[in-house]
Amino acid sequence: MDVLSYYLETYEACRKAFLSYKKQLKSKFERFDYECLEIPKDGGQLDVYCLGEKKKPAKRLVIMSSGIHGVEGFAGSAFQRRWIEEFLLDDKSPYKLPKNSDFLILHGINAHGFKNFLRVNERNVDLNRNFALKREKLHKKFKNKKYRKIQSFLNPGSEFGNFLFEYIFFIIRFLGVVIRFGAKYVLDAAVNGQYEFPKGIYYGGRKPEPVVRVLRKYFKKVLKPYDRILILDFHTGYGAKNGLSLMHNAESGSRADKNLNKVFGDFGLLLNEGEEDFYRTSGDFTDFFGKILTKEKDLFPITVELGTFGNLNVMGAIRGSFLMISENRIRFHGSKSEAEADKVREEFKQMFYPNREDWRLAAMDHVFGIVPEAITRFSKL
């Protein structure tokens, strides 16, 4: 099958294709369970496959998740469906599926963002900044003072105007903020997540979102039998053009850090706090498992990030920031011209789900050049 055919253009098409494997998976695997998790408050449905070679759960589990950042789910869905079709179902595949590992595949965690080509959910919450929240009142550590200082730049409170004019004006403002505060300050202020401005970018919410509460309950039940868990969370956007980054938040020298180095270390792609291009997020999905599971479990949590247009240099960072801020601005404050708003929306979509054939081929090559080998290594530990 042509790998480009796995890339589909609507949420409905992706979900239909994902669900089409139910009968085949059920007939092939001794252990098979499908659940459609209904997410309250217009959160949509979250489809989950859990499967294994034996009726009794294995001791190892591989989790593949997609769509936490809505629009990024298109690529994540393509990777998941290729994995199912060519590695789980194809008896002629040269890849030997480990018999001592079960698989849990979560499709489209943020259904609203997926459907509407947004990173956020229906309440403007960036779910990958929400998974740490447990209570109504925010802990002091969730106060992003850097964001507060430059929030007028990050959250313009006026209508969007002409695309070209807005972009030129944004560049001037961006350079001014960077000169005043420093590039690292601005990066940390924005992407680390903030919990005070509901209409702002990278908003992590004030309390756990419904999907977080549903998954907390689901994981506590389903993950009990497993001693070792590899988490592969698919994302797009950040990194070198057409490149791959493997990112994690584990503290240097911790058990999770050592685990990940055993599986991914020699790929030369691991990014953590010691790396120049790394940025730390609060409320990350991959950190969630360490908070809800017992310390006896060995966790291997990794974010698999596929770079799109390249945002590691100054112009790439400016373009990415402009699109993030402008898309958010248009949703909350409108645009003087719908045509100009459409330009922003289309470029925003391309930033996370490019229609370029070179990117789509490179993304597949990267993922399937790493993931099968990583899973094999994990199964042998």
Side-chain angles (χ1 to χ4, degrees):
M1 184 173 179
D2 177 11
V3 296
L4 290 173
S5 65
Y6 289 107
Y7 293 104
L8 302 175
E9 304 307 320
T10 66
Y11 163 79
E12 290 76 15
C14 289
R15 186 177 186 222
K16 182 179 179 181
F18 182 78
L19 295 178
S20 70
Y21 298 115
K22 269 196 292 188
K23 287 185 179 179
Q24 291 170 275
L25 289 169
K26 187 174 182 178
S27 64
K28 178 166 183 178
F29 288 90
E30 282 288 318
R31 186 164 184 271
F32 175 80
D33 182 55
Y34 161 72
E35 284 200 53
C36 176
L37 303 177
E38 294 287 341
I39 311 302
K41 298 184 179 179
D42 301 319
Q45 293 82 34
L46 169 52
D47 298 300
V48 188
Y49 289 144
C50 186
L51 50 93
E53 295 280 1
K54 300 176 182 178
K55 285 188 177 180
K56 186 179 177 181
K59 291 298 181 183
R60 292 174 176 82
L61 177 70
V62 177
I63 296 176
M64 290 184 174
S65 52
S66 72
I68 286 177
H69 284 148
V71 64
E72 300 175 27
F74 288 96
S77 174
F79 305 147
Q80 289 173 318
R81 287 182 282 104
R82 184 181 178 189
W83 175 258
I84 291 171
E85 192 160 318
E86 297 184 15
F87 292 80
L88 296 184
L89 291 174
D90 187 359
D91 292 325
K92 296 178 181 178
S93 172
Y95 179 75
K96 298 298 179 186
L97 197 66
K99 296 186 181 295
N100 66 347
S101 301
D102 290 349
F103 290 87
L104 185 69
I105 307 174
L106 298 98
H107 183 268
I109 291 174
N110 175 4
H112 175 84
F114 203 157
K115 288 177 187 176
N116 295 286
F117 303 99
L118 303 173
R119 286 179 84 253
V120 295
N121 73 357
E122 56 278 11
R123 282 170 291 281
N124 193 45
V125 173
D126 181 329
L127 292 177
N128 219 32
R129 309 296 186 276
N130 187 258
F131 276 92
L133 300 186
K134 291 184 180 180
R135 57 185 73 84
E136 299 286 337
K137 189 176 180 181
L138 291 174
H139 190 277
K140 285 182 181 179
K141 72 178 180 179
F142 290 113
K143 302 291 184 181
N144 187 335
K145 293 180 181 178
K146 292 180 180 178
Y147 189 101
R148 191 187 305 164
K149 269 195 173 183
I150 60 171
Q151 74 91 18
S152 62
F153 164 68
L154 296 171
N155 305 323
S158 59
E159 269 188 314
F160 187 84
N162 174 270
F163 187 99
L164 181 59
F165 173 80
E166 292 282 3
Y167 189 41
I168 293 170
F169 185 59
F170 180 85
I171 292 173
I172 295 168
R173 290 196 73 199
F174 181 93
L175 293 175
V177 171
V178 168
I179 290 169
R180 183 179 174 190
F181 293 98
K184 187 70 167 66
Y185 184 103
V186 176
L187 175 68
D188 289 344
V191 301
N192 286 5
Q194 57 88 13
Y195 300 84
E196 296 177 75
F197 304 96
K199 295 182 179 181
I201 59 172
Y202 296 106
Y203 174 57
R206 293 290 178 92
K207 57 185 178 181
E209 286 296 294
V211 68
V212 174
R213 295 197 296 270
V214 168
L215 285 176
R216 185 185 297 276
K217 184 177 178 181
Y218 176 76
F219 286 144
K220 283 185 175 180
K221 175 186 72 173
V222 171
L223 303 184
K224 273 185 180 179
Y226 301 101
D227 294 333
R228 290 185 171 181
I229 303 171
L230 171 64
I231 301 122
L232 301 166
D233 187 30
F234 295 115
H235 288 260
T236 62
Y238 178 80
K241 182 178 180 179
N242 295 4
L244 170 70
S245 299
L246 301 173
M247 305 175 71
H248 70 91
N249 279 335
E251 289 185 17
S252 181
S254 66
R255 188 161 70 170
D257 180 48
K258 291 175 182 177
N259 285 342
L260 289 168
N261 274 285
K262 289 176 187 176
V263 175
F264 298 100
D266 65 347
F267 290 130
L269 295 164
L270 274 180
L271 290 178
N272 60 19
E273 227 170 355
E275 303 291 336
E276 183 182 350
D277 296 328
F278 177 80
Y279 63 89
R280 177 176 288 280
T281 59
S282 59
D284 190 282
F285 175 69
T286 56
D287 292 344
F288 187 53
F289 298 88
K291 299 182 189 309
I292 63 172
L293 300 175
T294 63
K295 292 182 179 179
E296 287 72 36
K297 294 185 185 290
D298 263 335
L299 300 179
F300 299 71
I302 200 81
T303 297
V304 182
E305 183 92 36
L306 284 306
T308 53
F309 64 82
N311 56 9
L312 299 182
N313 57 34
V314 173
M315 289 312 298
I318 289 174
R319 180 185 171 193
S321 300
F322 172 73
L323 292 173
M324 283 288 294
I325 291 169
S326 298
E327 186 277 330
N328 184 75
R329 178 182 174 186
I330 288 167
R331 275 190 291 114
F332 285 106
H333 303 291
S335 174
K336 294 176 182 177
S337 161
E338 193 59 26
E340 298 299 299
D342 284 342
K343 286 182 187 178
V344 172
R345 295 186 189 109
E346 180 57 29
E347 288 214 26
F348 182 84
K349 176 185 171 185
Q350 293 297 318
M351 183 163 66
F352 298 105
Y353 188 46
N355 56 17
R356 305 190 323 266
E357 185 174 304
D358 67 315
W359 179 82
R360 295 187 175 189
L361 289 172
M364 280 290 183
D365 285 346
H366 285 314
V367 169
F368 288 91
I370 294 283
V371 166
E373 175 61 20
I375 290 172
T376 299
R377 293 178 184 183
F378 168 72
S379 71
K380 293 178 178 179
L381 292 176

